[in-house]
Amino acid sequence: MTSTAPHEATRRGDHLLLTTLRTTAPRTTALVLIATASTGAALLLPAVLGHTLDLLIGGHGRDGTTHRWVLLCAALVCVPAVLDALGEFLTATTTARTTALLRRAALGHVLAAGPRATARMTPGDLVTRLVGNAAQAGTAPATVAGTVTAVVGPVGGIVALALLDPWLALVFLAGAPLLVLLLRTFTRASTDSLAGYQRLQGELAGRLMEAVGGARTIAAAGTAARERDRVLEPLPGLSRHGHRMWRVQGRSSAQATALVPLLQIAVLAVAGLELSRGRLSVGDLLAASRYAVLATGVGMLVGHLGALVHGRTAARRLAEVHALPPTVHGTRRLPADGDGTLRLRGVGAERGGRTVLRGVDLVVPGGSTTAVVGRSGTGKSVLAELAGRLADPDAGEITLDGVPLRELAHDELRRQVGYAFARPALLGGTIGGTLAFGSFTPPPEAVVDAARAACADDFVRRLPDGYDTACAAAPLSGGEAQRLGLARAFAHAGRLLILDDATSSLDSVTEARVADALLHDVAARTRLIVAHRLATAERADRVAWLDGGRVRAVGPHAELWRRLPEYRAVFEG
């Protein structure tokens, strides 16, 4: 990372916060006005109280004018309470709306980036950013409004002191630079600590999600203690940053607590001296004591600045999500007479700083089934990912019926290319909704036909509500989940069907039936299958053998088996 990278991330985070504030401008303005009105009433109250006290001391207690001043004092006490209650309600609703907007926008960027999002950030870290950091950044409008008010109160208090007696304001301002220095130091130290804290928090969440996802493997291996230590490894660093934040905040609060009373005492001492000289009345002394309290309220900025630092740092992490490059689609359509020929030219791909595919040239003829085989880690799944444009290659070009995938319109691409995976996500609410889930909704009869082709119709009908059974209420084996994923792909693939180890949990008989359906009952003309089983390679028209990120050979399985011992070793090893 270059030295300008942190500055750029901060700039993007600030831009995101400003955009958020513009979006919520009406509510933020209302919050500022409500808070300012409440502060204005609080600023008027000392002067009104002082004047009322002078009237009472002067023997005007039964005067109608004095009664009006007493009623005004009561009103100035009640009005801020009502405004503060309204402000609390508006703060809560504004924060909720802003958080929802930030989460929706960040989620949109994650989905637009596709698989590359989790290639750059762990799923746990992404969840932390979308949930925790969005909530922290969502408080920004209310915090800005609170900060503005926290400034208005002290400034108004200083002005009021100056109006009572310039010496009162000068005494207070003599100690103001110390408060400013205190706030500046607090902001800098808090920002550094909080950035490290949130980064380690995301790392911890990522490790936890990995452990939860692999709970069965951990239990079977008997490595629970070791995995616990791995998950909690960032905890000491998290603790250091957390303790540092508390130390900074505690030190700043203690310094403010020590400084503020000294300023108040100094103001009261000068006010008492002015009272003894006859330059101030008793009411003025009362007002000066109240204004000194309001003026020293600048110490409350520590809390507001802390909240702003939290929001700003969280916005920086959200801005990194927004910076994920989205997949940009074109406007072209596939030729109506195309046969589904897929062609890869000089395709290269990197994952995690490692070159996975190098100069891959491969043609999958239209109407054929091509199996991609190779040892683990040779790039089979990455090739499948690129072949249907779940991600773009770092080098080279991929075309379908002569049209580069980058130039295809989004709806055309997703209507013509279908995917099935080893561990399909059951989205859609119900079993039927899961099978129909996609860029378009196939008719019910097409969904049922696809389920039959994937050997899923029988067990679906045995569920309590058949195709209307909620996914959460359907206990499915790994093989049954895979068959639902296959059925969904069968129902949506128009021209190209890509199966990434999508039959690994099927028994041999079911796999053979699905393989037969691929040839006779599925609309997709061309099929690209990432295969690990020998039987899958045997049934394919052609086999592409990947080794070391390159295509070593392409041809019928029987031919490759006969003449290439290294190819045979892929299945024998």
Side-chain angles (χ1 to χ4, degrees):
M1 180 178 292
T2 65
S3 59
T4 60
H7 175 74
E8 178 64 18
T10 301
R11 187 192 65 79
R12 288 177 175 175
D14 291 344
H15 177 73
L16 177 60
L17 275 186
L18 290 174
T19 302
T20 302
L21 290 173
R22 282 196 295 268
T23 304
T24 59
R27 285 175 166 267
T28 304
T29 302
L31 276 172
V32 171
L33 291 176
I34 290 172
T36 302
S38 178
T39 303
L43 286 169
L44 283 174
L45 182 58
V48 173
L49 279 174
H51 184 68
T52 304
L53 180 60
D54 286 339
L55 289 175
L56 291 171
I57 293 175
H60 301 282
R62 298 188 179 187
D63 191 290
T65 302
T66 304
H67 290 161
R68 287 193 292 273
W69 279 96
V70 171
L71 289 175
L72 181 57
C73 289
L76 290 175
V77 170
C78 295
V79 168
V82 174
L83 291 175
D84 289 346
L86 180 59
E88 288 293 332
F89 173 77
L90 191 57
T91 294
T93 55
T94 300
T95 298
R97 287 171 180 262
T98 306
T99 301
L101 287 172
L102 288 170
R103 284 175 177 163
R104 187 179 296 114
L107 179 61
H109 283 280
V110 170
L111 296 178
R116 75 183 69 184
T118 51
R120 298 192 178 194
M121 303 174 189
T122 66
D125 189 27
L126 281 173
V127 170
T128 300
R129 292 172 193 250
L130 268 64
V131 177
N133 295 149
Q136 291 167 338
T139 63
T143 303
V144 167
T147 304
V148 170
T149 308
V151 172
V152 169
V155 170
I158 295 170
V159 172
L161 286 174
L163 292 175
L164 285 173
D165 191 309
W167 283 106
L168 301 179
L170 288 174
V171 168
F172 180 85
L173 290 174
L178 293 176
L179 280 176
V180 174
L181 180 62
L182 170 65
L183 295 174
R184 184 178 181 183
T185 303
F186 169 78
T187 302
R188 285 184 174 179
S190 295
T191 300
D192 294 340
S193 298
L194 191 59
Y197 187 89
Q198 291 181 347
R199 177 181 57 79
L200 289 175
Q201 200 174 38
E203 183 180 340
L204 185 64
R207 295 184 182 211
L208 180 59
M209 285 193 67
E210 291 172 0
V212 171
R216 290 192 301 175
T217 301
I218 294 168
T223 58
R226 190 189 312 165
E227 188 63 18
R228 178 198 61 210
D229 293 340
R230 186 189 72 85
V231 171
L232 298 180
E233 186 179 351
L235 203 56
L238 197 69
S239 177
R240 284 195 300 274
H241 285 295
H243 279 87
R244 187 186 174 200
M245 282 192 298
W246 283 113
R247 284 196 301 271
V248 169
Q249 186 166 350
R251 183 170 60 248
S252 299
S253 298
Q255 291 169 345
T257 302
L259 181 60
V260 165
L262 291 176
L263 290 175
Q264 292 174 350
I265 292 171
V267 170
L268 286 176
V270 173
L273 182 61
E274 295 294 271
L275 175 65
S276 67
R277 293 176 177 175
R279 296 178 181 177
L280 292 179
S281 67
V282 174
D284 291 337
L285 179 63
L286 173 63
S289 67
R290 297 292 300 170
Y291 284 130
V293 172
L294 288 172
T296 51
V298 71
M300 294 177 60
L301 277 173
V302 171
H304 290 288
L305 287 176
L308 277 177
V309 168
H310 274 74
R312 190 184 182 204
T313 309
R316 172 179 172 176
R317 286 171 57 78
L318 284 177
E320 291 173 354
V321 175
H322 285 222
L324 292 170
T327 301
V328 179
H329 297 275
T331 58
R332 295 183 62 179
R333 324 296 292 189
L334 291 176
D337 58 349
D339 61 359
T341 298
L342 178 72
R343 186 183 299 272
L344 290 78
R345 298 188 184 93
V347 169
E350 293 185 3
R351 293 292 184 273
R354 181 175 67 92
T355 300
V356 180
L357 297 177
R358 299 177 177 83
V360 171
D361 293 312
L362 177 65
V363 177
V364 181
S368 70
T369 300
T370 297
V372 179
V373 305
R375 295 187 183 277
S376 177
T378 55
K380 301 185 298 299
S381 290
V382 174
L383 189 147
E385 187 178 275
L386 302 178
R389 212 194 171 201
L390 293 181
D392 289 322
D394 295 298
E397 184 181 61
I398 304 174
T399 62
L400 181 60
D401 284 333
V403 180
L405 295 186
R406 293 176 184 267
E407 298 179 11
L408 282 175
H410 178 265
D411 64 321
E412 177 76 350
L413 176 67
R414 293 300 156 224
R415 185 178 286 270
Q416 296 298 337
V417 181
Y419 267 99
F421 305 99
R423 291 183 293 276
L426 302 183
L427 308 173
T430 64
I431 298 298
T434 290
L435 302 187
F437 186 84
S439 59
F440 67 96
T441 302
E445 57 272 16
V447 169
V448 174
D449 289 342
R452 289 197 184 103
C455 301
D457 181 65
D458 289 342
F459 79 79
V460 170
R461 292 187 184 279
R462 290 196 297 269
L463 294 172
D465 297 312
Y467 283 87
D468 293 326
T469 303
C471 293
L476 302 174
S477 67
E480 288 171 336
Q482 276 198 344
R483 280 183 271 173
L484 292 179
L486 286 165
R488 179 172 58 198
F490 291 173
H492 290 85
R495 196 168 298 197
L496 172 64
L497 179 62
I498 301 173
L499 308 184
D500 185 3
D501 201 21
T503 61
S504 58
S505 296
L506 304 185
D507 60 81
S508 300
V509 174
T510 303
E511 184 186 18
R513 290 172 59 191
V514 170
D516 184 66
L518 279 172
L519 297 176
H520 303 98
D521 302 325
V522 176
R525 307 167 196 173
T526 307
R527 297 157 294 276
L528 182 68
I529 304 175
V530 172
H532 292 86
R533 290 181 177 177
L534 179 62
T536 305
E538 290 174 336
R539 294 190 190 99
D541 299 316
R542 303 163 75 247
V543 173
W545 172 30
L546 272 184
D547 184 41
R550 300 179 184 275
V551 176
R552 285 280 301 277
V554 178
H557 166 76
E559 178 184 335
L560 299 182
W561 184 272
R562 184 181 66 255
R563 64 184 181 84
L564 297 174
E566 298 94 338
Y567 175 77
R568 292 197 297 270
V570 172
F571 299 97
E572 295 171 350

